[in-house]
Amino acid sequence: MTKLNTLRDLLVHELQDIYSAEEQIIAALPKMERAATSEQLKASFRVLRVQAQMHKLRLERVFSELGASPGGKPCKGMEGLIKEGEEVIKELADPQVKDAALIGAAQRVEHYEM
């Protein structure tokens, strides 16, 4: 259990949550790319992965400046969204319908990040 005695503790805790979310996104996007049929959608997933990797690097610099570790508990919110995305990947569906479902899953992830 994390102790949140100061605003710095809270900041580090929240950043760790965001860092975990980015790691999960980076791991999930290649699976989504493989599941997509549209080349444009595949390319979008690649772009999102590069963006998530950049976010992760920025967070690592912040942790370094704070003298804190990025490790913490996994982000439960992102875990749920990733699990929903994995369910979409497993669905037997028309390729265009599956691509639309993958877009919806990716939009939920992006919304959570905001």
Side-chain angles (χ1 to χ4, degrees), residues 1-113:
M1 183 68 66
T2 305
K3 287 187 178 182
L4 301 176
N5 295 322
T6 66
L7 289 175
R8 183 187 184 285
D9 293 343
L10 177 61
L11 173 64
V12 169
H13 175 75
E14 293 298 320
L15 289 172
Q16 287 171 331
D17 192 65
I18 295 167
Y19 186 82
S20 170
E22 294 297 343
E23 286 188 311
Q24 291 177 55
I25 292 166
I26 291 166
L29 282 168
K31 298 172 194 172
M32 295 178 78
E33 180 185 343
R34 285 189 299 274
T37 57
S38 161
E39 287 305 317
Q40 186 176 4
L41 182 55
K42 288 176 181 281
S44 294
F45 287 143
R46 286 191 294 273
V47 168
L48 289 173
R49 187 163 190 247
V50 169
Q51 289 173 348
Q53 289 168 332
M54 295 298 294
H55 296 163
K56 183 180 171 193
L57 288 173
R58 281 190 206 112
L59 286 165
E60 287 170 353
R61 285 195 300 265
V62 170
F63 282 111
S64 177
E65 291 200 16
L66 290 172
S69 168
K73 295 189 312 184
C75 175
K76 298 292 186 185
M78 189 57 68
E79 278 183 353
L81 292 171
I82 298 293
K83 185 176 179 179
E84 286 181 7
E86 289 171 349
E87 290 172 4
V88 167
I89 290 171
K90 293 176 187 173
E91 288 289 328
L92 297 175
D94 173 86
Q96 291 179 334
V97 174
K98 184 176 242 178
D99 281 355
L102 288 168
I103 291 167
Q107 287 175 328
R108 285 187 288 281
V109 166
E110 289 297 308
H111 182 76
Y112 184 86
E113 280 189 293

